[in-house]
Amino acid sequence: MGSLMGWTAVKNQISIEPILFYAGCVFWTLSYDTIYAHQDKKDDEKLGMKSTALYFGDTTKSWLKRFYLTSLMTWLYAGILSSLNNIFYIALLAVGFIFHRQYKNFNPDDPSQCMSIFKNNSYVGLLLFFGILLDRIITRSQMYGPGV
């Protein structure tokens, strides 16, 4: 929601860029929340709770791939429409590497490994934030010179 609210506050309008950033975050959240849910799936079954881990079951890994790719593609498209430059795309490439590692290492039957992957997602948020921030700082200094 931060991208939608911040964009609207600064630009006094809504447009496709923050919607795409937001959509990418929704799919990213679906991925890491599903990984987290796999830690408790046995308890969820006993309690009759509905979770994405139980819903996706044995197909979780293929759903994670879809969620990761959708996140990356929407963030990429948002970056292009926002005229972001190389710093952002380098950060996005690093995010793609993290997603790939998470996908390859995901074991739905290992709760400690699921927790490790879940915690690893904090780096995704940091990379996106600093990728955008540094990109804007560098672009602005190139446009207006040092000290601005």
Side-chain angles (χ1 to χ4, degrees):
M1 289 304 284
S3 63
L4 296 173
M5 291 171 35
W7 184 282
T8 304
V10 170
K11 300 273 188 174
N12 204 25
Q13 67 177 7
I14 191 72
S15 63
I16 190 69
E17 295 94 327
I19 293 170
L20 288 170
F21 276 116
Y22 178 75
C25 289
V26 168
F27 285 99
W28 171 42
T29 302
L30 278 168
S31 66
Y32 71 72
D33 192 57
T34 298
I35 291 167
Y36 186 84
H38 271 278
Q39 297 178 95
D40 303 323
K41 65 184 174 186
K42 290 178 184 174
D43 294 330
D44 290 351
E45 279 180 316
K46 289 177 190 173
L47 296 171
M49 298 191 61
K50 310 281 189 232
S51 72
T52 52
L54 295 177
Y55 182 77
F56 296 137
D58 293 337
T59 64
T60 295
K61 201 163 183 173
S62 66
W63 281 102
L64 289 178
K65 183 193 295 187
R66 292 177 191 136
F67 295 153
Y68 286 152
L69 288 173
T70 302
S71 293
L72 289 170
M73 292 301 105
T74 56
W75 290 333
L76 175 65
Y77 191 47
I80 291 167
L81 292 177
S82 299
S83 301
L84 295 175
N85 295 307
N86 292 339
I87 299 293
F88 172 74
Y89 299 113
I90 291 167
L92 196 58
L93 185 63
V95 168
F97 176 74
I98 290 171
F99 283 170
H100 176 73
R101 267 190 63 223
Q102 289 178 353
Y103 172 78
K104 286 293 186 187
N105 295 328
F106 175 67
N107 178 356
D109 298 318
D110 184 350
S112 65
Q113 192 247 20
C114 289
M115 178 55 92
S116 176
I117 290 174
F118 171 77
K119 288 181 177 180
N120 186 260
N121 275 279
S122 62
Y123 297 112
V124 172
L126 284 172
L127 281 166
L128 287 173
F129 174 74
F130 283 115
I132 294 168
L133 179 66
L134 291 174
D135 186 278
R136 294 291 89 189
I137 289 170
I138 290 169
T139 300
R140 187 176 181 122
S141 70
Q142 289 173 348
M143 288 174 54
Y144 300 109
V148 176

